[in-house]
Amino acid sequence: MNSPATKQQFGISVQSLEQNERSIKITWADGKVATFHYLWLRDNCPSAFHPSTQERLFNLTTVSEDIHAVSSAFDETALYVSWSEHEHKSVYRLEWLYENAYSADFKSTPESSVTPWGTEIMDSLYEVQYEDLMQDDQALHDWLYAVKKWGISYVRNVPCTDQGVIDVANRIAFLRETNFGKVFDVKSKPNPINNAYTSEALPLHIDLINQETPPGYQFLHCLINDSKGGESTYADGFKIIEELKATSPGSFQILSTVTVPMRYHDGETDIQTRHPIINVDENGRLVELRYSPHLVSTFDMDEDMMDRYYRAFRELMVLINDARFVISIKMKAGDLCIFDNRRVMHGRNAFEASESHSGGRHLRGCYVDRSEFESRLRVLGRRFGKATATR
């Protein structure tokens, strides 16, 4: 239990309070200054939330845009506000205000939980045993944390059954269903509807970029791999994009701002979207890569952009195939690879099915979305005392 002295020591106490026309300014004991606007404060009054669900019940349109504090005061634990409308009163915990302050003194770039990599990852690729993962929540947390950091990991000795990949994915959350189903089998098939269902080489790519939101994390479980060839290849798109941004900022700008058509279609579906190939947030941090040469449709940008765009796109393709970034792993039966499908590209070398085994290479796959993955990681992080950045 924190005493007032402890609060003072860590700066979670108020030095002074200033009530202004549209906001309250607090100077904290540690010298930081925070402004809290009246609409923000009223919208976040503790009484505005359901006590059980913690979802907001308050409707902001029930007060005017000119609502303001008639009076305000603080003590060692809380800020007290009496409002100009409906005789409403609010009580805010000082710790909560400090943690949610949005002024300049509190704005900082959170430490990224992502570590870009090249071929050096082969010396430190994170692995976990299936039995540990399925039985130990601490092992599950550590694995999720590593996958978040590196974007890729291997699970060893997964039972070679149709259920194996589902059981691993369900340790995190429910599966994402796509036009390929909840679970899909990657092997050479007659009359394939996707290049993955052939024995041809697959260039590095992100799956299902044509979807409004591509799947978050992909699971590929090796059931059989006694073919010649068929090595799995991976490359960290974030590492490659960082290199592109550093060496060719103009190409990075084009690829992160100009939208292109993306499409998958067969006899049953025709799924299309438009999106930049590189997606960044409002702070310029990488969010996702949507790179798949076989799913980008015919480029249709303005004529004054077409040649520049192709040059930038080709520049990215050259980097993606640079040997500094690509790792190659021959999966064996019982191996399962998980990777961030909107960051880590995957592919494979061509393979030759042996005459004695019609299914010489058979992987079984599924997806779990990023939101579900990160939810599980946050919940386990609270349990095991490790906060996780969202990037």
Side-chain angles (χ1 to χ4, degrees), residues 153-155 158 165 184-186 205 207 217-223 232-234 331-332 334-339 346-347 361-367:
S153 175
Y154 265 73
V155 183
V158 178
V165 69
F184 50 89
D185 292 284
V186 183
H205 65 282
D207 268 13
Y217 286 85
Q218 182 168 175
F219 303 73
L220 287 174
H221 177 210
C222 181
L223 300 178
S232 299
T233 55
Y234 308 96
M331 296 183 77
K332 63 181 185 297
D335 287 346
L336 183 149
C337 184
I338 178 177
F339 52 92
H346 68 290
R361 186 180 188 274
H362 181 188
L363 306 184
R364 192 162 164 84
C366 64
Y367 305 106

PDB file of all heavy atoms in Angstrom, residues 153-155 158 165 184-186 205 207 217-223 232-234 331-332 334-339 346-347 361-367:
ATOM      1  N   SER A 153       9.340 -17.818 -34.816  1.00  0.00           N
ATOM      2  CA  SER A 153       9.820 -18.803 -33.846  1.00  0.00           C
ATOM      3  C   SER A 153       9.438 -20.189 -34.342  1.00  0.00           C
ATOM      4  O   SER A 153       8.548 -20.343 -35.184  1.00  0.00           O
ATOM      5  CB  SER A 153       9.217 -18.559 -32.464  1.00  0.00           C
ATOM      6  OG  SER A 153       9.600 -19.574 -31.552  1.00  0.00           O
ATOM      7  N   TYR A 154      10.114 -21.186 -33.794  1.00  0.00           N
ATOM      8  CA  TYR A 154       9.797 -22.577 -34.110  1.00  0.00           C
ATOM      9  C   TYR A 154       9.324 -23.311 -32.860  1.00  0.00           C
ATOM     10  O   TYR A 154       9.848 -23.091 -31.754  1.00  0.00           O
ATOM     11  CB  TYR A 154      11.020 -23.298 -34.680  1.00  0.00           C
ATOM     12  CG  TYR A 154      11.052 -23.308 -36.186  1.00  0.00           C
ATOM     13  CD1 TYR A 154      11.340 -22.146 -36.908  1.00  0.00           C
ATOM     14  CD2 TYR A 154      10.775 -24.461 -36.910  1.00  0.00           C
ATOM     15  CE1 TYR A 154      11.365 -22.145 -38.289  1.00  0.00           C
ATOM     16  CE2 TYR A 154      10.796 -24.473 -38.298  1.00  0.00           C
ATOM     17  CZ  TYR A 154      11.094 -23.318 -38.975  1.00  0.00           C
ATOM     18  OH  TYR A 154      11.098 -23.315 -40.353  1.00  0.00           O
ATOM     19  N   VAL A 155       8.314 -24.155 -33.044  1.00  0.00           N
ATOM     20  CA  VAL A 155       7.877 -25.097 -32.017  1.00  0.00           C
ATOM     21  C   VAL A 155       8.299 -26.475 -32.483  1.00  0.00           C
ATOM     22  O   VAL A 155       8.034 -26.858 -33.632  1.00  0.00           O
ATOM     23  CB  VAL A 155       6.348 -25.050 -31.813  1.00  0.00           C
ATOM     24  CG1 VAL A 155       5.939 -25.983 -30.681  1.00  0.00           C
ATOM     25  CG2 VAL A 155       5.883 -23.621 -31.540  1.00  0.00           C
ATOM     26  N   VAL A 158       5.800 -31.095 -32.457  1.00  0.00           N
ATOM     27  CA  VAL A 158       4.336 -31.015 -32.487  1.00  0.00           C
ATOM     28  C   VAL A 158       3.804 -32.325 -33.073  1.00  0.00           C
ATOM     29  O   VAL A 158       4.314 -32.790 -34.097  1.00  0.00           O
ATOM     30  CB  VAL A 158       3.878 -29.822 -33.344  1.00  0.00           C
ATOM     31  CG1 VAL A 158       2.353 -29.760 -33.411  1.00  0.00           C
ATOM     32  CG2 VAL A 158       4.450 -28.518 -32.798  1.00  0.00           C
ATOM     33  N   VAL A 165      -1.571 -28.379 -35.436  1.00  0.00           N
ATOM     34  CA  VAL A 165      -1.423 -26.941 -35.627  1.00  0.00           C
ATOM     35  C   VAL A 165      -2.567 -26.176 -34.968  1.00  0.00           C
ATOM     36  O   VAL A 165      -2.374 -25.067 -34.441  1.00  0.00           O
ATOM     37  CB  VAL A 165      -1.327 -26.604 -37.133  1.00  0.00           C
ATOM     38  CG1 VAL A 165      -2.644 -26.854 -37.857  1.00  0.00           C
ATOM     39  CG2 VAL A 165      -0.877 -25.162 -37.335  1.00  0.00           C
ATOM     40  N   PHE A 184      -5.651 -24.878 -43.653  1.00  0.00           N
ATOM     41  CA  PHE A 184      -5.364 -25.178 -45.058  1.00  0.00           C
ATOM     42  C   PHE A 184      -4.166 -26.116 -45.145  1.00  0.00           C
ATOM     43  O   PHE A 184      -3.293 -26.119 -44.269  1.00  0.00           O
ATOM     44  CB  PHE A 184      -5.114 -23.894 -45.857  1.00  0.00           C
ATOM     45  CG  PHE A 184      -4.114 -22.956 -45.230  1.00  0.00           C
ATOM     46  CD1 PHE A 184      -2.759 -23.060 -45.500  1.00  0.00           C
ATOM     47  CD2 PHE A 184      -4.544 -21.964 -44.348  1.00  0.00           C
ATOM     48  CE1 PHE A 184      -1.850 -22.197 -44.930  1.00  0.00           C
ATOM     49  CE2 PHE A 184      -3.635 -21.091 -43.764  1.00  0.00           C
ATOM     50  CZ  PHE A 184      -2.286 -21.211 -44.053  1.00  0.00           C
ATOM     51  N   ASP A 185      -4.141 -26.919 -46.184  1.00  0.00           N
ATOM     52  CA  ASP A 185      -3.068 -27.882 -46.408  1.00  0.00           C
ATOM     53  C   ASP A 185      -2.215 -27.418 -47.575  1.00  0.00           C
ATOM     54  O   ASP A 185      -2.711 -27.202 -48.684  1.00  0.00           O
ATOM     55  CB  ASP A 185      -3.645 -29.272 -46.688  1.00  0.00           C
ATOM     56  CG  ASP A 185      -4.320 -29.863 -45.463  1.00  0.00           C
ATOM     57  OD1 ASP A 185      -3.595 -30.310 -44.563  1.00  0.00           O
ATOM     58  OD2 ASP A 185      -5.567 -29.849 -45.409  1.00  0.00           O
ATOM     59  N   VAL A 186      -0.914 -27.242 -47.306  1.00  0.00           N
ATOM     60  CA  VAL A 186       0.022 -26.775 -48.315  1.00  0.00           C
ATOM     61  C   VAL A 186       0.764 -27.982 -48.870  1.00  0.00           C
ATOM     62  O   VAL A 186       1.682 -28.517 -48.246  1.00  0.00           O
ATOM     63  CB  VAL A 186       1.017 -25.750 -47.735  1.00  0.00           C
ATOM     64  CG1 VAL A 186       1.938 -25.215 -48.828  1.00  0.00           C
ATOM     65  CG2 VAL A 186       0.277 -24.604 -47.064  1.00  0.00           C
ATOM     66  N   HIS A 205       6.956 -13.562 -49.737  1.00  0.00           N
ATOM     67  CA  HIS A 205       5.710 -12.819 -49.856  1.00  0.00           C
ATOM     68  C   HIS A 205       5.009 -12.755 -48.503  1.00  0.00           C
ATOM     69  O   HIS A 205       5.344 -13.481 -47.570  1.00  0.00           O
ATOM     70  CB  HIS A 205       4.779 -13.481 -50.881  1.00  0.00           C
ATOM     71  CG  HIS A 205       4.317 -14.843 -50.461  1.00  0.00           C
ATOM     72  ND1 HIS A 205       5.122 -15.962 -50.561  1.00  0.00           N
ATOM     73  CD2 HIS A 205       3.140 -15.282 -49.932  1.00  0.00           C
ATOM     74  CE1 HIS A 205       4.471 -17.023 -50.114  1.00  0.00           C
ATOM     75  NE2 HIS A 205       3.263 -16.630 -49.713  1.00  0.00           N
ATOM     76  N   ASP A 207       1.131 -13.258 -46.960  1.00  0.00           N
ATOM     77  CA  ASP A 207      -0.118 -13.905 -47.352  1.00  0.00           C
ATOM     78  C   ASP A 207      -1.296 -12.926 -47.357  1.00  0.00           C
ATOM     79  O   ASP A 207      -1.425 -12.067 -46.467  1.00  0.00           O
ATOM     80  CB  ASP A 207      -0.457 -15.050 -46.385  1.00  0.00           C
ATOM     81  CG  ASP A 207       0.103 -16.381 -46.859  1.00  0.00           C
ATOM     82  OD1 ASP A 207       0.943 -16.392 -47.784  1.00  0.00           O
ATOM     83  OD2 ASP A 207      -0.292 -17.426 -46.294  1.00  0.00           O
ATOM     84  N   TYR A 217      -0.858 -13.510 -37.561  1.00  0.00           N
ATOM     85  CA  TYR A 217       0.199 -14.502 -37.365  1.00  0.00           C
ATOM     86  C   TYR A 217      -0.172 -15.783 -38.091  1.00  0.00           C
ATOM     87  O   TYR A 217      -1.306 -16.252 -38.013  1.00  0.00           O
ATOM     88  CB  TYR A 217       0.422 -14.769 -35.871  1.00  0.00           C
ATOM     89  CG  TYR A 217       1.136 -13.627 -35.187  1.00  0.00           C
ATOM     90  CD1 TYR A 217       0.421 -12.526 -34.716  1.00  0.00           C
ATOM     91  CD2 TYR A 217       2.518 -13.624 -35.046  1.00  0.00           C
ATOM     92  CE1 TYR A 217       1.064 -11.458 -34.115  1.00  0.00           C
ATOM     93  CE2 TYR A 217       3.175 -12.561 -34.442  1.00  0.00           C
ATOM     94  CZ  TYR A 217       2.434 -11.479 -33.975  1.00  0.00           C
ATOM     95  OH  TYR A 217       3.091 -10.427 -33.393  1.00  0.00           O
ATOM     96  N   GLN A 218       0.819 -16.329 -38.775  1.00  0.00           N
ATOM     97  CA  GLN A 218       0.614 -17.564 -39.522  1.00  0.00           C
ATOM     98  C   GLN A 218       1.343 -18.716 -38.838  1.00  0.00           C
ATOM     99  O   GLN A 218       2.447 -18.542 -38.309  1.00  0.00           O
ATOM    100  CB  GLN A 218       1.116 -17.422 -40.962  1.00  0.00           C
ATOM    101  CG  GLN A 218       0.869 -18.666 -41.803  1.00  0.00           C
ATOM    102  CD  GLN A 218       1.089 -18.457 -43.285  1.00  0.00           C
ATOM    103  OE1 GLN A 218       1.019 -19.411 -44.055  1.00  0.00           O
ATOM    104  NE2 GLN A 218       1.321 -17.223 -43.707  1.00  0.00           N
ATOM    105  N   PHE A 219       0.695 -19.889 -38.858  1.00  0.00           N
ATOM    106  CA  PHE A 219       1.268 -21.115 -38.312  1.00  0.00           C
ATOM    107  C   PHE A 219       1.416 -22.108 -39.458  1.00  0.00           C
ATOM    108  O   PHE A 219       0.447 -22.363 -40.177  1.00  0.00           O
ATOM    109  CB  PHE A 219       0.349 -21.725 -37.250  1.00  0.00           C
ATOM    110  CG  PHE A 219       0.025 -20.810 -36.100  1.00  0.00           C
ATOM    111  CD1 PHE A 219      -0.847 -19.737 -36.262  1.00  0.00           C
ATOM    112  CD2 PHE A 219       0.587 -21.021 -34.855  1.00  0.00           C
ATOM    113  CE1 PHE A 219      -1.155 -18.898 -35.217  1.00  0.00           C
ATOM    114  CE2 PHE A 219       0.286 -20.178 -33.784  1.00  0.00           C
ATOM    115  CZ  PHE A 219      -0.584 -19.117 -33.966  1.00  0.00           C
ATOM    116  N   LEU A 220       2.592 -22.676 -39.631  1.00  0.00           N
ATOM    117  CA  LEU A 220       2.816 -23.716 -40.623  1.00  0.00           C
ATOM    118  C   LEU A 220       3.446 -24.916 -39.929  1.00  0.00           C
ATOM    119  O   LEU A 220       4.551 -24.817 -39.368  1.00  0.00           O
ATOM    120  CB  LEU A 220       3.722 -23.211 -41.750  1.00  0.00           C
ATOM    121  CG  LEU A 220       3.092 -22.222 -42.735  1.00  0.00           C
ATOM    122  CD1 LEU A 220       4.131 -21.698 -43.711  1.00  0.00           C
ATOM    123  CD2 LEU A 220       1.927 -22.859 -43.491  1.00  0.00           C
ATOM    124  N   HIS A 221       2.734 -26.039 -39.943  1.00  0.00           N
ATOM    125  CA  HIS A 221       3.145 -27.254 -39.249  1.00  0.00           C
ATOM    126  C   HIS A 221       3.537 -28.298 -40.289  1.00  0.00           C
ATOM    127  O   HIS A 221       2.747 -28.617 -41.187  1.00  0.00           O
ATOM    128  CB  HIS A 221       1.992 -27.763 -38.383  1.00  0.00           C
ATOM    129  CG  HIS A 221       2.267 -29.047 -37.681  1.00  0.00           C
ATOM    130  ND1 HIS A 221       1.265 -29.960 -37.384  1.00  0.00           N
ATOM    131  CD2 HIS A 221       3.423 -29.589 -37.225  1.00  0.00           C
ATOM    132  CE1 HIS A 221       1.799 -30.986 -36.760  1.00  0.00           C
ATOM    133  NE2 HIS A 221       3.102 -30.786 -36.652  1.00  0.00           N
ATOM    134  N   CYS A 222       4.745 -28.816 -40.173  1.00  0.00           N
ATOM    135  CA  CYS A 222       5.246 -29.805 -41.124  1.00  0.00           C
ATOM    136  C   CYS A 222       4.799 -31.208 -40.698  1.00  0.00           C
ATOM    137  O   CYS A 222       5.157 -31.676 -39.613  1.00  0.00           O
ATOM    138  CB  CYS A 222       6.770 -29.748 -41.202  1.00  0.00           C
ATOM    139  SG  CYS A 222       7.483 -30.916 -42.367  1.00  0.00           S
ATOM    140  N   LEU A 223       4.007 -31.850 -41.550  1.00  0.00           N
ATOM    141  CA  LEU A 223       3.580 -33.234 -41.314  1.00  0.00           C
ATOM    142  C   LEU A 223       4.495 -34.218 -42.024  1.00  0.00           C
ATOM    143  O   LEU A 223       4.818 -35.281 -41.477  1.00  0.00           O
ATOM    144  CB  LEU A 223       2.135 -33.426 -41.786  1.00  0.00           C
ATOM    145  CG  LEU A 223       1.079 -32.556 -41.119  1.00  0.00           C
ATOM    146  CD1 LEU A 223      -0.292 -32.825 -41.723  1.00  0.00           C
ATOM    147  CD2 LEU A 223       1.050 -32.794 -39.617  1.00  0.00           C
ATOM    148  N   SER A 232      12.153 -23.968 -46.544  1.00  0.00           N
ATOM    149  CA  SER A 232      11.377 -22.764 -46.245  1.00  0.00           C
ATOM    150  C   SER A 232      12.316 -21.565 -46.168  1.00  0.00           C
ATOM    151  O   SER A 232      13.416 -21.657 -45.613  1.00  0.00           O
ATOM    152  CB  SER A 232      10.634 -22.925 -44.919  1.00  0.00           C
ATOM    153  OG  SER A 232       9.730 -24.009 -44.984  1.00  0.00           O
ATOM    154  N   THR A 233      11.885 -20.443 -46.711  1.00  0.00           N
ATOM    155  CA  THR A 233      12.676 -19.222 -46.676  1.00  0.00           C
ATOM    156  C   THR A 233      11.893 -18.123 -45.959  1.00  0.00           C
ATOM    157  O   THR A 233      10.666 -18.066 -46.039  1.00  0.00           O
ATOM    158  CB  THR A 233      13.038 -18.758 -48.099  1.00  0.00           C
ATOM    159  OG1 THR A 233      11.845 -18.615 -48.877  1.00  0.00           O
ATOM    160  CG2 THR A 233      13.961 -19.768 -48.776  1.00  0.00           C
ATOM    161  N   TYR A 234      12.639 -17.272 -45.254  1.00  0.00           N
ATOM    162  CA  TYR A 234      12.027 -16.186 -44.495  1.00  0.00           C
ATOM    163  C   TYR A 234      12.915 -14.943 -44.589  1.00  0.00           C
ATOM    164  O   TYR A 234      14.142 -15.037 -44.712  1.00  0.00           O
ATOM    165  CB  TYR A 234      11.873 -16.549 -43.016  1.00  0.00           C
ATOM    166  CG  TYR A 234      11.178 -17.855 -42.754  1.00  0.00           C
ATOM    167  CD1 TYR A 234      11.913 -19.022 -42.525  1.00  0.00           C
ATOM    168  CD2 TYR A 234       9.784 -17.940 -42.731  1.00  0.00           C
ATOM    169  CE1 TYR A 234      11.287 -20.232 -42.282  1.00  0.00           C
ATOM    170  CE2 TYR A 234       9.143 -19.139 -42.485  1.00  0.00           C
ATOM    171  CZ  TYR A 234       9.901 -20.286 -42.263  1.00  0.00           C
ATOM    172  OH  TYR A 234       9.271 -21.477 -42.033  1.00  0.00           O
ATOM    173  N   MET A 331      12.365 -27.764 -42.996  1.00  0.00           N
ATOM    174  CA  MET A 331      11.503 -28.233 -41.924  1.00  0.00           C
ATOM    175  C   MET A 331      11.463 -29.754 -41.931  1.00  0.00           C
ATOM    176  O   MET A 331      11.531 -30.393 -42.985  1.00  0.00           O
ATOM    177  CB  MET A 331      10.095 -27.678 -42.086  1.00  0.00           C
ATOM    178  CG  MET A 331       9.995 -26.175 -41.962  1.00  0.00           C
ATOM    179  SD  MET A 331       8.275 -25.574 -42.070  1.00  0.00           S
ATOM    180  CE  MET A 331       7.668 -25.978 -40.424  1.00  0.00           C
ATOM    181  N   LYS A 332      11.340 -30.313 -40.749  1.00  0.00           N
ATOM    182  CA  LYS A 332      11.167 -31.755 -40.624  1.00  0.00           C
ATOM    183  C   LYS A 332       9.831 -32.031 -39.947  1.00  0.00           C
ATOM    184  O   LYS A 332       9.247 -31.147 -39.314  1.00  0.00           O
ATOM    185  CB  LYS A 332      12.315 -32.379 -39.847  1.00  0.00           C
ATOM    186  CG  LYS A 332      12.455 -31.917 -38.409  1.00  0.00           C
ATOM    187  CD  LYS A 332      13.654 -32.583 -37.736  1.00  0.00           C
ATOM    188  CE  LYS A 332      13.743 -32.236 -36.257  1.00  0.00           C
ATOM    189  NZ  LYS A 332      13.952 -30.803 -36.007  1.00  0.00           N
ATOM    190  N   GLY A 334       7.020 -32.602 -37.560  1.00  0.00           N
ATOM    191  CA  GLY A 334       6.898 -32.192 -36.162  1.00  0.00           C
ATOM    192  C   GLY A 334       7.308 -30.769 -35.902  1.00  0.00           C
ATOM    193  O   GLY A 334       7.050 -30.233 -34.822  1.00  0.00           O
ATOM    194  N   ASP A 335       7.944 -30.106 -36.877  1.00  0.00           N
ATOM    195  CA  ASP A 335       8.297 -28.699 -36.738  1.00  0.00           C
ATOM    196  C   ASP A 335       7.085 -27.820 -37.044  1.00  0.00           C
ATOM    197  O   ASP A 335       6.332 -28.090 -37.980  1.00  0.00           O
ATOM    198  CB  ASP A 335       9.419 -28.321 -37.705  1.00  0.00           C
ATOM    199  CG  ASP A 335      10.770 -28.878 -37.298  1.00  0.00           C
ATOM    200  OD1 ASP A 335      10.907 -29.337 -36.150  1.00  0.00           O
ATOM    201  OD2 ASP A 335      11.686 -28.846 -38.147  1.00  0.00           O
ATOM    202  N   LEU A 336       6.946 -26.756 -36.280  1.00  0.00           N
ATOM    203  CA  LEU A 336       5.925 -25.754 -36.549  1.00  0.00           C
ATOM    204  C   LEU A 336       6.572 -24.383 -36.488  1.00  0.00           C
ATOM    205  O   LEU A 336       7.265 -24.064 -35.519  1.00  0.00           O
ATOM    206  CB  LEU A 336       4.775 -25.842 -35.547  1.00  0.00           C
ATOM    207  CG  LEU A 336       3.593 -24.879 -35.752  1.00  0.00           C
ATOM    208  CD1 LEU A 336       2.294 -25.515 -35.261  1.00  0.00           C
ATOM    209  CD2 LEU A 336       3.803 -23.547 -35.021  1.00  0.00           C
ATOM    210  N   CYS A 337       6.350 -23.604 -37.517  1.00  0.00           N
ATOM    211  CA  CYS A 337       6.865 -22.234 -37.549  1.00  0.00           C
ATOM    212  C   CYS A 337       5.706 -21.264 -37.390  1.00  0.00           C
ATOM    213  O   CYS A 337       4.665 -21.415 -38.039  1.00  0.00           O
ATOM    214  CB  CYS A 337       7.603 -21.962 -38.861  1.00  0.00           C
ATOM    215  SG  CYS A 337       8.379 -20.317 -38.922  1.00  0.00           S
ATOM    216  N   ILE A 338       5.871 -20.294 -36.511  1.00  0.00           N
ATOM    217  CA  ILE A 338       4.924 -19.189 -36.393  1.00  0.00           C
ATOM    218  C   ILE A 338       5.662 -17.923 -36.789  1.00  0.00           C
ATOM    219  O   ILE A 338       6.830 -17.732 -36.439  1.00  0.00           O
ATOM    220  CB  ILE A 338       4.357 -19.060 -34.960  1.00  0.00           C
ATOM    221  CG1 ILE A 338       3.402 -17.858 -34.878  1.00  0.00           C
ATOM    222  CG2 ILE A 338       5.454 -18.967 -33.918  1.00  0.00           C
ATOM    223  CD1 ILE A 338       2.725 -17.686 -33.522  1.00  0.00           C
ATOM    224  N   PHE A 339       4.986 -17.037 -37.534  1.00  0.00           N
ATOM    225  CA  PHE A 339       5.604 -15.776 -37.904  1.00  0.00           C
ATOM    226  C   PHE A 339       4.534 -14.713 -38.094  1.00  0.00           C
ATOM    227  O   PHE A 339       3.375 -15.006 -38.387  1.00  0.00           O
ATOM    228  CB  PHE A 339       6.466 -15.910 -39.165  1.00  0.00           C
ATOM    229  CG  PHE A 339       5.772 -16.550 -40.334  1.00  0.00           C
ATOM    230  CD1 PHE A 339       5.110 -15.781 -41.280  1.00  0.00           C
ATOM    231  CD2 PHE A 339       5.787 -17.929 -40.497  1.00  0.00           C
ATOM    232  CE1 PHE A 339       4.476 -16.365 -42.360  1.00  0.00           C
ATOM    233  CE2 PHE A 339       5.152 -18.524 -41.576  1.00  0.00           C
ATOM    234  CZ  PHE A 339       4.494 -17.744 -42.513  1.00  0.00           C
ATOM    235  N   HIS A 346       7.593 -15.019 -46.188  1.00  0.00           N
ATOM    236  CA  HIS A 346       7.968 -16.431 -46.261  1.00  0.00           C
ATOM    237  C   HIS A 346       7.858 -16.903 -47.707  1.00  0.00           C
ATOM    238  O   HIS A 346       7.170 -16.298 -48.538  1.00  0.00           O
ATOM    239  CB  HIS A 346       7.067 -17.275 -45.355  1.00  0.00           C
ATOM    240  CG  HIS A 346       5.638 -17.349 -45.810  1.00  0.00           C
ATOM    241  ND1 HIS A 346       4.782 -16.265 -45.743  1.00  0.00           N
ATOM    242  CD2 HIS A 346       4.911 -18.357 -46.348  1.00  0.00           C
ATOM    243  CE1 HIS A 346       3.593 -16.598 -46.205  1.00  0.00           C
ATOM    244  NE2 HIS A 346       3.633 -17.869 -46.596  1.00  0.00           N
ATOM    245  N   GLY A 347       8.559 -17.973 -47.982  1.00  0.00           N
ATOM    246  CA  GLY A 347       8.531 -18.577 -49.309  1.00  0.00           C
ATOM    247  C   GLY A 347       9.095 -19.986 -49.208  1.00  0.00           C
ATOM    248  O   GLY A 347       9.228 -20.549 -48.115  1.00  0.00           O
ATOM    249  N   ARG A 361       5.862 -33.500 -49.487  1.00  0.00           N
ATOM    250  CA  ARG A 361       5.964 -32.300 -48.645  1.00  0.00           C
ATOM    251  C   ARG A 361       4.554 -31.844 -48.318  1.00  0.00           C
ATOM    252  O   ARG A 361       3.783 -31.486 -49.210  1.00  0.00           O
ATOM    253  CB  ARG A 361       6.734 -31.188 -49.355  1.00  0.00           C
ATOM    254  CG  ARG A 361       7.014 -29.955 -48.484  1.00  0.00           C
ATOM    255  CD  ARG A 361       7.786 -28.913 -49.286  1.00  0.00           C
ATOM    256  NE  ARG A 361       8.235 -27.804 -48.453  1.00  0.00           N
ATOM    257  CZ  ARG A 361       7.525 -26.740 -48.152  1.00  0.00           C
ATOM    258  NH1 ARG A 361       6.278 -26.628 -48.606  1.00  0.00           N
ATOM    259  NH2 ARG A 361       8.034 -25.769 -47.402  1.00  0.00           N
ATOM    260  N   HIS A 362       4.217 -31.849 -47.037  1.00  0.00           N
ATOM    261  CA  HIS A 362       2.860 -31.505 -46.613  1.00  0.00           C
ATOM    262  C   HIS A 362       2.946 -30.651 -45.355  1.00  0.00           C
ATOM    263  O   HIS A 362       3.383 -31.108 -44.295  1.00  0.00           O
ATOM    264  CB  HIS A 362       2.052 -32.781 -46.332  1.00  0.00           C
ATOM    265  CG  HIS A 362       0.635 -32.510 -45.906  1.00  0.00           C
ATOM    266  ND1 HIS A 362      -0.202 -33.513 -45.451  1.00  0.00           N
ATOM    267  CD2 HIS A 362      -0.101 -31.364 -45.859  1.00  0.00           C
ATOM    268  CE1 HIS A 362      -1.382 -32.996 -45.145  1.00  0.00           C
ATOM    269  NE2 HIS A 362      -1.343 -31.695 -45.374  1.00  0.00           N
ATOM    270  N   LEU A 363       2.551 -29.393 -45.493  1.00  0.00           N
ATOM    271  CA  LEU A 363       2.442 -28.491 -44.349  1.00  0.00           C
ATOM    272  C   LEU A 363       0.966 -28.184 -44.129  1.00  0.00           C
ATOM    273  O   LEU A 363       0.179 -28.133 -45.071  1.00  0.00           O
ATOM    274  CB  LEU A 363       3.196 -27.180 -44.595  1.00  0.00           C
ATOM    275  CG  LEU A 363       4.665 -27.249 -44.998  1.00  0.00           C
ATOM    276  CD1 LEU A 363       5.251 -25.843 -45.092  1.00  0.00           C
ATOM    277  CD2 LEU A 363       5.469 -28.106 -44.049  1.00  0.00           C
ATOM    278  N   ARG A 364       0.616 -27.981 -42.872  1.00  0.00           N
ATOM    279  CA  ARG A 364      -0.762 -27.635 -42.528  1.00  0.00           C
ATOM    280  C   ARG A 364      -0.721 -26.291 -41.815  1.00  0.00           C
ATOM    281  O   ARG A 364       0.089 -26.078 -40.901  1.00  0.00           O
ATOM    282  CB  ARG A 364      -1.357 -28.721 -41.640  1.00  0.00           C
ATOM    283  CG  ARG A 364      -2.873 -28.629 -41.439  1.00  0.00           C
ATOM    284  CD  ARG A 364      -3.397 -29.976 -40.940  1.00  0.00           C
ATOM    285  NE  ARG A 364      -4.741 -29.895 -40.377  1.00  0.00           N
ATOM    286  CZ  ARG A 364      -5.851 -29.932 -41.086  1.00  0.00           C
ATOM    287  NH1 ARG A 364      -5.779 -30.026 -42.411  1.00  0.00           N
ATOM    288  NH2 ARG A 364      -7.032 -29.874 -40.502  1.00  0.00           N
ATOM    289  N   GLY A 365      -1.585 -25.366 -42.230  1.00  0.00           N
ATOM    290  CA  GLY A 365      -1.468 -24.010 -41.723  1.00  0.00           C
ATOM    291  C   GLY A 365      -2.768 -23.411 -41.245  1.00  0.00           C
ATOM    292  O   GLY A 365      -3.864 -23.900 -41.540  1.00  0.00           O
ATOM    293  N   CYS A 366      -2.642 -22.318 -40.497  1.00  0.00           N
ATOM    294  CA  CYS A 366      -3.786 -21.532 -40.038  1.00  0.00           C
ATOM    295  C   CYS A 366      -3.281 -20.161 -39.619  1.00  0.00           C
ATOM    296  O   CYS A 366      -2.078 -19.889 -39.632  1.00  0.00           O
ATOM    297  CB  CYS A 366      -4.524 -22.235 -38.899  1.00  0.00           C
ATOM    298  SG  CYS A 366      -3.551 -22.445 -37.389  1.00  0.00           S
ATOM    299  N   TYR A 367      -4.217 -19.292 -39.224  1.00  0.00           N
ATOM    300  CA  TYR A 367      -3.886 -17.929 -38.824  1.00  0.00           C
ATOM    301  C   TYR A 367      -4.567 -17.566 -37.505  1.00  0.00           C
ATOM    302  O   TYR A 367      -5.661 -18.038 -37.207  1.00  0.00           O
ATOM    303  CB  TYR A 367      -4.373 -16.913 -39.866  1.00  0.00           C
ATOM    304  CG  TYR A 367      -3.914 -17.130 -41.276  1.00  0.00           C
ATOM    305  CD1 TYR A 367      -4.807 -17.609 -42.236  1.00  0.00           C
ATOM    306  CD2 TYR A 367      -2.616 -16.829 -41.678  1.00  0.00           C
ATOM    307  CE1 TYR A 367      -4.414 -17.780 -43.562  1.00  0.00           C
ATOM    308  CE2 TYR A 367      -2.213 -16.995 -42.994  1.00  0.00           C
ATOM    309  CZ  TYR A 367      -3.114 -17.481 -43.933  1.00  0.00           C
ATOM    310  OH  TYR A 367      -2.726 -17.646 -45.234  1.00  0.00           O
TER     311      TYR A 367
END
